[in-house]
Amino acid sequence: MLTSTEQATTYHNFIDGSWVPSVSGDLFENRNPANVDDLIGVFQKSTRSDVDRAIAAARRAYEHWRLVPAPRRAELLFRAAQLIADRKEALARDMTREMGKVLDETRGDVQEAIDMTFFMAGEGRRQYGQTVPSELRDKFAMSMRQPLGVCAVITPWNFPMAIPSWKIIPALVCGNSVVFKPATLTPLSALNFVKILEEAGIPPGVVNLVTGGGEEVGNALLQSGDIRVVSFTGSTDVGRTVSQQTAPSFKKVHLEMGGKNVIMVMDDANLDLAIEGCLWGGFGTSGQRCTAASRVVVHRKVYKDFTTRFVDRVKALRVGDGLDPKTQMGPVVSESQLKTVMSYVDIGQKEGAALACGGHPLRSGALAKGFFHEPTVFTDVDPRMRIAQEEIFGPVVCVIPSSSFEEAVGIGNNVQYGLSASIYTQDINRAFAAMRDMYTGIFYVNAPTIGAEVHLPFGGTKATGNGHREAGTAALDVFSEWKSVYVDFSGRLQRAQIDTAEL
Ligand code: NAD
C-alpha cells in the first residue's frame, strides 16, 4: 500500500492534446476515503496560467470542431461510449477507491456515462430545427442550433464520471469545445474519462482537463472573457458565486445545485416497498446524492409501524469498504464531510428530534482509517428543524409525521430546494395530484427519489437550479443557441409585417 507522495503515480493536466504538468509545479494528493493510507495518486494543483492555456487551446480547436459535421462528431462519441463500456469494471474500481461508494453504485455511475454518451451520440443526427412557411412569397424560414464556443464544465465528486458525461458529451455533439475542472476529491475518474475521449479520437484542444482547487481554477474559468457557457453542478453556495461572477459578462450559466428531497409514505402504501425505497434513497452513496431521500414524511396511521421496521432495517446495514462485495454502505467522501454529518447529528439532538439509530462515526477495527459514519435516523422531526431544512449530504434520514396527504405535500414543498420527490400510495388520484403539486424537477411514484434515466431532463427548481436542465434533449438547449434564418429568393425587397403576399 502506498503511503508517500514520492511513491505515488503523478497525473497531469490534458491541454491541447498533451498531458502536461501545471506551470506552478504544485501537486495535491488523492486518498481513499475508506483508508487514508491508500494514496491513489498525485494530481496537478493548477493555476490561472494553466487555465488560460487550456482556454486558448479550446478557443483555437473550436474553430475547426464547430465545422465538423455533427454526425461525424458523433462517430467519435459512439467510439468513446464503447470504450467506456469495455472498461466499465476497472473504471468503477478506480471510482470506489477514490470516493468510497460501493462497487454496484460506481458500476452504475460508469453505466450512466455509457448511456449518456450513446444517447448524445445519437443526437449527432437529430439536432432538429424548425422549417416554417414564411408570411411572404418566395421566402424560406427556418431555425437551427449553433454551438456557442468554449464551455467550462465544473463538477462535484459524488458522480465522478456520470456528471462530467452529462455536460461534456452534449457540449461536444453540439460543436463546442470544453475546459473541464473536476472536483479535487475525484480527479482520477475525470482523467480516466478524458483519456477515453482522447483515445476515441477527439481532436487536440477540443477537450481540456485542468485539475485543482475551486477558487484558483474555478474563478479563472468564470472570469475569462473567452468562456461562453458555464455548466456547474455542486452546492448552492458555490452555485450562487458562479452566478454572481459570470453575470457581468452575460455567460450562459447552467446550475445544478443542492437538494432536500422527500419521500411521502401514505396510509395506503405498500410498506415493505416503501421501506425498501427509503433505505435505498436515504443511504445509497451514504446519502451523498443530490437526489438523496433525506426526508421521509409518513402518515400517522402507519407511522409507528413504518418507523419500527425502517429503523430495524437501517441498523442492519453493513458499513465498510465499498470494494468489499458484502458492504452495503461505504464511507463518506472526506473528513470535512464526516464532520458536517457529525455536526448535524448534534444539531438534530439539540433541536429535540429523537435519535432512533446511529449518530456516531465508526472508528474501530477495519474502519479506523476511513471516514465512516453509522447510518442514522431521526424520528419525530419537526419540519421546521434545521435537520429537516438543510442539505446534510450524509447518511442521515429525518422521519416526519403527518396527518394527511395535503399536509405531506405542504411539508414536502416547504424547503428552499426543489430537486426530487416521491410518493408511496395505492391511490391513483393521490399519485396524480402529488405529481402535479410537488414543485420539483423530478417526481417518482412508488419508487424512491433516486433513479433518473439519461433520456429525460434532469434538474431542479428553486435553490436547486436556474431553469436549465441537463440530460435528455433538454441538454442541447444548454450547449447550443438558436439561429433563425430567412432566405429571400424573390429578387425584390419584401418588408415583413408591411408588405403582404397576394392571395
Ligand atoms: P461544491 O460546490 O463544493 O463543488 C463543486 C465544484 O465547484 C467543485 O469542482 C469545486 O472545486 C468547484 N468550486 C468550488 N468553489 C468554486 C468557485 N469559487 N468557483 C468555481 N468553482 C468552484 O460541491 P461538492 O461538495 O463537490 O458536491 C456536493 C454538492 O453538489 C451538494 O450540494 C449536492 O447536492 C450537489 N449536487 C447537485 C447535483 C444536481 O444535479 N442538482 C448533482 C450532484 C451533486
Side-chain angles (χ1 to χ4, degrees), residues 154-158 181 232-235 238 257-258 290 391 393 458:
I154 303 176
T155 55
W157 45 263
N158 64 338
K181 190 219 99 57
F232 166 87
T233 298
S235 61
V238 176
M257 300 171 286
C290 51
E391 185 182 49
F393 225 53
F458 183 96

Side-chain angles (χ1 to χ4, degrees), residues 345-365:
V345 169
D346 196 38
I347 289 166
Q349 286 173 295
K350 288 193 178 125
E351 286 180 311
L355 183 61
C357 70
H360 306 97
L362 293 161
R363 289 186 165 132
S364 58

